[in-house]
Amino acid sequence: MTKQLLKGNVAIAEAAVRYGLQAYFGYPITPQTELLEYLSKRMPELGRVFVQAESELGAVNMVYGAACTGARVMSSSSSPGVSLMLEGLSYIAGTELPAVFVDVMRGGPGLGNIAPSQQDYNQIVHGGGHGDYYPIVLAPANIQEAIDYIGLAFTLAEKYRSLAILLIDGCLGQMMEPAELPEMQPVRTVYPAWAARGAAGREPIIHTSIYLNPLDQEKTNLRILSRWREVQAKEIRFRGYYLDDAKYAIIAFGTAGRVALSAVRAARNAGIKVGMFRPITLAPFPAQAIRELSERLEGILVVEMNSGQMLEDVLANTHNRAAVEFYGRPGGNIPLADDILTEIKRIAQGKSTLNGHPRDRWVDRMLAANPGA
Amino acid sequence: MPANGRIEVNEKFCKACGLCVETCPQNVLGLSASRINAKGYHPVELIQAGCTGCGICAIVCPEAAIAVYREIVRVREPEF
Amino acid sequence: MDEFSKETLVYERPNTLTDFTTHYCPGCTHGIAHRLTAEVLEEMNARERAVGVASVGCSVFAYNYFNFDFVQAPHGRAPAMATGVKRLLPDRIVFTYQGDGDLASIGMSEIVAAAARGENITVVFINNTNYGMTGGQMAPTTLPGQVTTSSPHGRDVETAGFPIRVSEMLSTLDGATYVVRRSLHDPKNIRMAKKALRIAFTVQERGLGFSMVELLSTCPTNWGMTPMESLHWVETKMIPYYPVGDYKVAPVVAEIKV
């Protein structure tokens, strides 16, 4: 296979097809819509299932039904649409079924805007829906990774009977860059024993998330949690850049990580020993790796396209061993490499502290720079 | 001559709602005064002769608790 | 010339029901609707290719009572979930079993969209004019003036609006193939209901599109009536507002003989 120029949303859609996607159910919402549009043509021409649902509620429950049959199934949406899907995500998690979702995040809260954002981190990584459940969350930073990780999402979802969510922002969904698609893989013909496909020659299979007896529900909670601990033990993925001799590091994911890497390179050129750590699995979170970084670094800068959501997970693992600062651009804004470089320089000049909360210091700087806010 | 029938009640399912008792065209059903099932209901039973095996009790039973049998009486044709 | 007699089985519990006792109140006609559905699927030899979709409400535990594969949907979403199942398994018999709170209130979007798409599923719709499971609150189907736990002075149409006639409404959709209303209040109507279910499932088996049988049903406990009084209430109060009848029968259905 050779590289071709691909738009993020389309690349994810075609990659999913090649990884054996059997059914897609979706609903239009910017900046995710091209994924739906592409599959509306592609799936039927392959004799596979495509339905444009009446709403995100409809789409997620169609995914739920299809997942009960053991099929490889997915949906995609963007932030406000994902909010609607949370009901279904909780049910799918509670029924212990595999399903894959793509969230192409946009600015919020509310209707917000259609510009790139990372404001769904908490909603996706920390549940959002009701009850204790643990989706696997993958955060690519370029289109090649998006292609690769949609395949990984299917693999992990099915291996752990879990939700797997590809979390990208509108920038990755909309941009074009060269990337290589996988070979076409055959669609599944053998189904897992739990698949509800008609009780031919066997006892009925029931898929439900109701456990009226609290003790049964608790057993289910513990079963889901022990499966999650296996995911935590085996499936953490991240990438490090220039960390070997680093005194400081940026921690950022997705597009924010990509921009931050430019700032890191510029800082290196300016003689600052800064590296970068980019979580690929936001869940399971690379807690141990961040803990180890905090033991040897002087300062950490968390960069996000939100008001500091992953920041809390970083702080939970740095335990004041290293000073943590935050730089964020919420509301559908992409941080500029120059602005991140300025933050790196501030930290390198010793202007970071262990006192107070990094978000408060960042907000104060933001408000000072934007007196009208 | 009316057909002759009988019912078998699976007492486990019966909730003594009485729909069959009220609907029986022959008025031959009643709730048992002496029997009680695991849920505490007095299950339905045939209380007198006259069941025709029409099956209406089974049609109105919400619990599918009643099996219905009917005796078919035929005159055997003489063989030549 | 002599006589001989032979005993024949007129009726027995269908194998498409499990051996569970239901949680329904005594005299609740949910049980009749379950039984008829099970009988029809058994007669169609469909046990091994049926997948049911349970809803939320009193019928939430339907999966315990049917002896075939079942999945359980979030409140109102059964038609969407059934769509997912049916699209992946087009040769299976897929049906939802929904009450009026589930279907006509929170799930109105899903049922209308499924019918409009002509989704090749069957819907068994239980209309008993209230939310039974949560203790008898006002539903979209609650009759004007009807007392419920959330309309204690009777449904006031000035503030709570008017009941929804679901079958009539869905019958306007081109995607709907077979939409009828039947009642479970006496043996004759129960027989008619079973025949309608048989047609509805046959519509699906033949790939003819969306089918729904609305069943007027009782809720003795929440209505505060005996089972027999409840049946009478269906006949005298519900049927005048919700007439039994065929609301949408596409010409192709005429070929189905049951």
Side-chain angles (χ1 to χ4, degrees), chain C residues 237-256:
Chain C
K237 296 292 196 295
M238 282 183 76
I239 290 180
Y241 203 97
Y242 298 113
V244 168
D246 296 354
Y247 290 94
K248 177 73 179 285
V249 182
V252 66
V253 179
E255 294 169 16
I256 297 174

Side-chain angles (χ1 to χ4, degrees), chain A residues 242-262:
Chain A
Y242 313 109
L243 285 171
D244 288 348
D245 64 341
K247 287 172 71 177
Y248 317 100
I250 291 181
I251 301 179
F253 68 93
T255 295
R258 191 172 169 147
V259 178
L261 189 57
S262 300

Side-chain angles (χ1 to χ4, degrees), chain A residues 124-143:
Chain A
I124 296 297
V125 170
H126 293 303
H130 59 285
D132 290 331
Y133 70 94
Y134 314 91
I136 294 165
V137 184
L138 302 168
N142 57 55
I143 292 176

